Amino acid sequence: MIRAWSIGLIAAALPAAAGAADIAGTRAAIVRSLDAQYPHLEAVYKDIHLHPELGFQEDRTAAKLAGEMKALGYEVTEGVGKTGIVALYKNGPGPTVMIRTELDALPLEEKTGLPYASHAKQILRGVETPVMHACGHDIHMAAWVAVGKTMLDLKDQWSGTLMFVGQPAEEGGGGAKRMVADGLFTRFPKPDYGFALHVGPGPYGYVTYKPGVINSTSDGLQITFNGKGGHGSRPHVTIDPVMMAAHFIVDVQSVISREKDSAKFGVITIGSVQAGNAGNVIPDTATVRGTIRSYDNDTRLKMLDGIDRTAKAVAMMAGAPAPDIKLSEGAKSVVNDDALAARSGAVLKAAFGDKARLMSEPGSASEDYSEFIMAGVPSFYFGIGGLDPAMLRKAAAEKISVPGNHSPEFAPVPEPSIKTGAEAMSLVLLDMLQRK
Ligand SMILES: [Zn+2]
Ligand SMILES: [Zn+2]
C-alpha cells in the first residue's frame, strides 16, 4: 500500500495565480537582488565546496549557513536532527512554506581539477576517506542562502512565514527522518507547502518539473548463501555457495522480466559479490549485495517477494540451509502534489518559457525528501541544469558521456546555476505567498 502520499487536491486553498505581466516584473526584481548578491554567493559556494562534510558530520557547513541566515535576520535553531538547522522569518499572516537544502557530501575523491576542488578527508565507519560535494548540494546551499536574502529584499510583495531547513545526511543517512523525529513539524510551524530543488547534468539556465512521482524508491538487499566449504577438487562433498550466488544473480533478473509488470519501472542490481579468497577452495558462504529501485509500491513488493523466493529456491535446489536474507528500506519516491506542481510548474513555464521543461518520466535516483511529504507536507520538488549547454551539445555530437551526480568529475557551473535555482525558487515562493 502506498501511504497517504496523494495529499488530496489543494486547489481550493491555493491563491489566484499571477498574470504574465506580474511575473515579468517580479522576475526583474529577483534578478536585480541576485545580481547584487552574486559575488557573496559564489564565495559561499566555493567555501562550502572546499570544505565538504559527510552525513551527520556537517558541523562547519551547518554553522556557516546558520551564520548567513542569522545575519539576514532569520530566527535560527541549530542541532535539529543532530546537525540540521531551521531558519524562520515571519512576515505577516499567510501560509508557512518550507525551503529545504541538503548539507551533506559524499565519500569520493574529487577529480574535477577545479581550482576550488576539495582535498578534504573525514572518518567514515572508522576509516579516513576523501570527501567531495559530488551531488551538487553545495549549489543548493548557495541558492538557499540567495533565496533567503531575495525574499527579504522583496518583503513588501508577500505575506506569510518562511521556514528554511538545512537537512543533514541526505545521501542514504536518514537525515530527513531524523529531523522529523526531532520535532521538525511540532517544535516549529508545520509547513503548508514544501519546496526543494536538485541540480543535475542538464544544461544550465533550464528548469525541469513534473507533477506526481518524480524519482524512485530505493531498497537494499544483502543475502548470504550458506554452503559447506571444502577442496576445489572434491565439489561433491561440499555445498558450493558460489554456485548459489551465481544462480541467484542470474535468476533474480527473471523477476524483472517475467513477474514485474513490464510497463512499470523496476531495477534489481547486484553491485557486490563476496566469497572466498582462493581459487582452489570452495568457501562456506557467499554474500551478494544490491539495490532495488521502483516508482510504485506494488512493483516494489513484487520485486522484494521475488528476491526472497529466488534466494530460498536457489538454496533448496543446492540442498543447502536457508540463506540469510536482509532487505533494508531506503528512501521512498518523492511524489509532488499534483495541484501544487501544476501551479508552480505554470509559474516556471511563464517565467522561463522554453527553458522550463515538463519531465515525461521520473528519474531513477532516490532522495529522502519523501519523508517530509509522508509527514504531510504537500510539496514541489524540481530540477535545474548545472552544465554548459554548448559543452553538452559538443559531447552529444561526439557521443561522449558527461559526468553526472555522484561522479568524482561532476562539476556544475556556479554561475548561472545558483542564480537559476534561486530565481526559480523565489518565483514559486512569491506566487504562493501573495498578499491578499
Ligand atoms: Zn546524491
Ligand atoms: Zn543529491
Side-chain angles (χ1 to χ4, degrees), residues 207-211 341 345 349 356-361:
V207 296
T208 54
Y209 60 97
K210 185 185 176 301
K349 193 75 204 165
R357 290 185 176 167
L358 184 66
M359 294 160 67
S360 54
E361 292 288 325

Side-chain angles (χ1 to χ4, degrees), residues 3 9 43 52 87 106 122 175 267 282 297 331 341 363 393 395 403 418 420 436:
R3 289 163 68 182
L9 284 181
L106 283 159
Q122 280 193 311
V267 166
I282 292 169
N297 206 40
R393 272 194 300 275
I418 295 168
T420 302
K436 296 271 165 15

Side-chain angles (χ1 to χ4, degrees), residues 143-211:
W144 186 90
V145 168
V147 174
K149 171 83 163 77
T150 295
M151 291 303 284
L152 298 199
D153 288 349
L154 277 67
K155 200 163 81 168
D156 58 343
Q157 295 194 22
W158 58 275
S159 181
T161 299
L162 298 174
M163 179 174 170
F164 281 79
V165 171
Q167 181 211 310
E170 184 280 319
E171 298 286 1
K177 203 176 231 171
R178 189 138 168 194
M179 285 195 95
V180 173
D182 196 15
L184 181 61
F185 300 141
T186 51
R187 289 162 56 197
F188 305 94
K190 181 157 179 192
D192 297 290
Y193 312 104
F195 297 89
L197 59 81
H198 210 297
V199 67
Y204 58 54
Y206 283 70
V207 296
T208 54
Y209 60 97
K210 185 185 176 301

Side-chain angles (χ1 to χ4, degrees), residues 74-318:
Y74 284 75
E75 186 189 314
V76 179
T77 308
E78 294 175 71
V80 183
K82 195 158 189 215
T83 41
I85 55 176
V86 178
L88 290 171
Y89 193 91
K90 296 191 180 83
N91 185 34
T96 297
V97 295
M98 174 174 80
I99 307 96
R100 194 288 309 251
T101 182
E102 319 87 324
L103 304 175
D104 61 330
L106 283 159
L108 281 183
E109 186 176 351
E110 178 157 354
K111 292 183 179 150
T112 58
L114 290 166
Y116 51 92
S118 160
H119 300 286
K121 288 186 175 163
Q122 280 193 311
I123 305 293
L124 177 65
R125 292 189 281 272
V127 180
E128 192 178 60
T129 173
V131 184
M132 173 194 177
H133 269 298
C135 203
H137 298 175
D138 44 358
I139 294 275
H140 309 168
M141 285 185 257
W144 186 90
V145 168
V147 174
K149 171 83 163 77
T150 295
M151 291 303 284
L152 298 199
D153 288 349
L154 277 67
K155 200 163 81 168
D156 58 343
Q157 295 194 22
W158 58 275
S159 181
T161 299
L162 298 174
M163 179 174 170
F164 281 79
V165 171
Q167 181 211 310
E170 184 280 319
E171 298 286 1
K177 203 176 231 171
R178 189 138 168 194
M179 285 195 95
V180 173
D182 196 15
L184 181 61
F185 300 141
T186 51
R187 289 162 56 197
F188 305 94
K190 181 157 179 192
D192 297 290
Y193 312 104
F195 297 89
L197 59 81
H198 210 297
V199 67
Y204 58 54
Y206 283 70
V207 296
T208 54
Y209 60 97
K210 185 185 176 301
V213 179
I214 62 150
N215 64 14
S216 79
T217 289
S218 147
D219 293 283
L221 75 88
Q222 178 181 315
I223 300 172
T224 298
F225 292 98
N226 299 302
K228 189 174 151 214
H231 199 288
S233 68
R234 292 169 53 77
H236 58 289
V237 297
T238 71
I239 300 175
D240 185 351
V242 178
M243 284 293 283
M244 284 189 265
H247 278 302
F248 173 80
I249 292 163
V250 176
D251 288 350
V252 79
Q253 294 306 328
S254 64
V255 174
I256 299 296
S257 66
R258 304 290 84 177
E259 295 187 29
K260 178 187 74 64
D261 181 341
S262 56
K264 302 260 173 77
F265 168 75
V267 166
I268 302 171
T269 289
I270 306 299
S272 163
V273 186
Q274 289 176 323
N277 294 308
N280 59 356
V281 178
I282 292 169
D284 281 328
T285 62
T287 299
V288 298
R289 292 183 183 83
T291 189
I292 307 154
R293 303 294 173 108
S294 55
Y295 295 146
D296 68 277
N297 206 40
D298 289 345
T299 303
R300 172 176 174 264
L301 293 177
K302 188 145 254 179
M303 291 195 294
L304 294 178
D305 182 56
I307 288 164
D308 186 74
R309 277 185 291 105
T310 305
K312 286 175 179 160
V314 159
M316 196 183 286
M317 199 163 71

